[in-house]
Amino acid sequence: MNQPIIATIEKHVGIVRLNRPDVLNALSLDLMKMLVDTLESYDDNPDIHVILIAGSEKVWAAGADINDMANASVFEMYERNQFARWERIRKIRKPVIAAVSGFALGGGCELAMHCDVIIASESAKFGQPEINIGIIPGAGGTQRLTRAIGKFRAMDMVLNGRFISAAEAHQFGLVSRIVPRENFYEFALKLAHDMSKKPPLALKLAKEAVLKAHETTLSEGLEYERKLFYMLFATDDQKEGMAAFIEKRRAKFEGQ
Ligand code: CO8
């Protein structure tokens, strides 16, 4: 039987591929459990510095699996406590890159927005179409989308269920880069490998600092950034990085 995700490790990059092609990678309960367990195992693995989540060229993910929810009662939904899993994704400390091609809808769009860098192929389409099936986004879509693209564009997508193209998503600030469909995965993988060569502790603290900008006031965020900045002067990688710059050689980071 096909596994809902395929997990592989390449050098310092932990890769997860969503693998339910028959249902456009719908995020079933099983898939989410495996995905989150794998992301956490990558986060705990000191040999992995960066995580890459990919779908296929045709689809990233068309949302939560509607079959899992169609007949559920409010109590069943409550008892499933499935948003606890999404909270665990939020707590991953290493950078997570999303390689998105095709549909990123509903929970699929929300999964991409849980990532830190979104590489979109020219064919990517983003949407929060939950309104069409009688619900609203539940894994942070109304909040993260609004912060990413602003109230009026978010309202258009959430109230009308409108899909936006990769070009619009890029223009609106929802994606980091657009790349040709044919090599979107190779591009994202190379980016992940390049990023994985940076000092791993600084990567984690940089992610933490940027995410803080969504959570707090400017002055508190600046204070927070400063503390993390100072902290890095306790690392060997800072000494090595600066020495290598001065000596005009390539730095060799050890993650300490
Ligand atoms: N769940 C289950 N099955 C799906 C889903 C889905 N989200 N999306 C597509 N499929 C299935 C279809 O039923 C179909 O199966 P079959 O071949 O057996 O009929 C197969 O995938 C192919 O789909 P289509 O034939 O519909 O393909 P089209 O190219 O015609 O259309 C669309 C593609 C536009 C993407 C269309 O499939 C669609 O609208 N899908 C649903 C999109 C959607 O509404 N997503 C939101 C779901 S709700 C949600 O994500 C809430 C998240 C809350 C947080 C997470 C909690 C777990």
Side-chain angles (χ1 to χ4, degrees), residues 197-200 202 232-256:
K197 293 178 188 131
K198 315 272 184 216
L232 286 166
F233 282 77
T235 65
D236 294 345
D237 283 350
Q238 173 269 324
K239 299 287 175 283
E240 164 64 8
M242 293 194 182
F245 176 82
I246 290 164
E247 292 159 20
K248 300 193 186 309
R249 60 174 173 81
R250 188 184 289 268
K252 199 170 172 313
F253 296 119
E254 302 288 352
Q256 299 183 32

Side-chain angles (χ1 to χ4, degrees), residues 120-195:
S121 89
E122 283 158 344
S123 72
K125 282 194 173 53
F126 297 83
Q128 296 288 166
E130 288 90 341
I131 197 81
N132 296 331
I133 54 168
I135 56 171
I136 67 169
T142 61
Q143 305 304 300
R144 288 197 179 85
L145 190 65
T146 306
R147 281 170 165 78
I149 68 176
K151 170 183 163 185
F152 297 101
R153 288 161 172 163
M155 284 288 190
D156 192 15
M157 290 175 70
V158 171
L159 301 180
N160 290 319
R162 177 181 169 228
F163 296 174
I164 58 170
S165 65
E168 284 173 299
H170 190 243
Q171 188 198 340
F172 296 173
L174 182 60
V175 306
S176 315
R177 301 196 210 182
I178 307 183
V179 292
R181 178 178 165 143
E182 308 78 68
N183 62 356
F184 84 100
Y185 179 73
E186 289 68 24
F187 183 95
L189 184 61
K190 179 171 184 322
L191 188 81
H193 280 299
D194 289 349
M195 196 188 284

Side-chain angles (χ1 to χ4, degrees), residues 18 51 67 87 117 127 138 140 152 163 176 201 212 226 228 254:
L18 308 175
I51 298 169
N67 299 305
E87 279 299 307
V117 172
F152 297 101
F163 296 174
S176 315
L201 257 165
K212 199 73 177 174
R226 209 155 296 157
L228 299 184
E254 302 288 352

